[in-house]
Amino acid sequence: MTRHLLIAGAAIAALSLAACGQPADRSATAPAESVTPDANPAATVPTMADEASAPDFVRLAAQNDMLEIQSSQMAVERAQNAEVKAFAQMMVDAHTKTTRDLKTAVEATGQPLTPPTTADQEVTDELNDLRETAAADFDKAYIDLQVETHQKALNLMQRYAGDGDMPGLQAFAAATAPAIQQHLDQAKALQDRLANAT
């Protein structure tokens, strides 16, 4: 009986060794099929994770400032409410400063990064929509845009301050976020006052 067990054990061991010599499953080692890039332009919009990279952060921060400055210059000319007009002038001044500070922070990194100086399609579309707004609806449309844009900017600054890949730019984002929060709060208060006035 013991002899039969020994023979059976030896046979199992031999089969196991033979199996080890077999090539591995080819499907596990086959190269992955090439993936065709998504042709949808929306697929190129940065995700939250992408915004932690310096080039995306710099581009988005610069585009935000352009939207703030140019929409606010329009509001300085077109707004009918005195508070809205004053807020718009404050935004022109504040975001002109932020643009300068961003450029200084980028230069201090020593990296080949250049903030864009022309508006992208999204900013251009927002400005065109505001430009085409009827005079009676302009103040509300401008302030609604300010609330939306400042919320996006605040999210961007807070994310980069926490997860960014360049300490100098992280410091800029952290220093800029409180001012953007203040602008957002002011814009929301104006939004409420305009809503109550109607």
Side-chain angles (χ1 to χ4, degrees):
M1 179 72 176
T2 306
R3 186 171 171 213
H4 288 303
L5 288 174
L6 286 174
I7 292 171
I12 290 170
L15 287 173
S16 296
L17 287 172
C20 288
Q22 297 298 318
D25 180 4
R26 289 181 52 159
S27 65
T29 57
E33 292 182 18
S34 62
V35 178
T36 305
D38 192 335
N40 180 359
T44 63
V45 174
T47 62
M48 287 186 192
D50 294 333
E51 290 175 9
S53 74
D56 287 321
F57 170 74
V58 168
R59 178 179 57 78
L60 292 168
Q63 290 295 337
N64 177 78
D65 274 346
M66 277 186 262
L67 178 55
E68 292 291 351
I69 292 168
Q70 293 178 44
S71 64
S72 296
Q73 286 170 335
M74 207 184 303
V76 168
E77 297 297 321
R78 293 190 58 192
Q80 297 177 14
N81 181 292
E83 280 189 285
V84 172
K85 217 178 253 288
F87 177 82
Q89 185 58 60
M90 185 174 70
M91 291 305 96
V92 171
D93 298 340
H95 287 278
T96 298
K97 179 183 183 304
T98 305
T99 298
R100 283 196 306 266
D101 292 347
L102 175 63
K103 187 177 178 187
T104 299
V106 166
E107 288 170 355
T109 68
Q111 298 298 312
L113 295 170
T114 306
T117 55
T118 56
D120 64 15
Q121 192 60 52
E122 183 179 353
V123 169
T124 300
D125 290 346
E126 291 277 17
L127 292 170
N128 286 339
D129 287 347
L130 188 61
R131 193 172 288 113
E132 292 165 9
T133 302
D137 302 322
F138 181 85
D139 289 10
K140 180 182 183 307
Y142 167 70
I143 290 299
D144 288 349
L145 178 62
Q146 295 307 299
V147 170
E148 178 188 335
T149 305
H150 278 93
Q151 186 62 67
K152 285 181 184 174
L154 182 60
N155 294 345
L156 175 68
M157 294 298 165
Q158 289 176 335
R159 277 196 295 267
Y160 195 83
D163 301 322
D165 57 359
M166 285 192 184
L169 292 178
Q170 280 185 293
F172 162 80
T176 305
I180 292 177
Q181 178 69 69
Q182 186 178 26
H183 297 166
L184 176 61
D185 293 343
Q186 290 171 309
K188 283 181 174 178
L190 263 175
Q191 189 179 48
D192 289 344
R193 284 200 288 279
L194 290 176
N196 291 335
T198 57

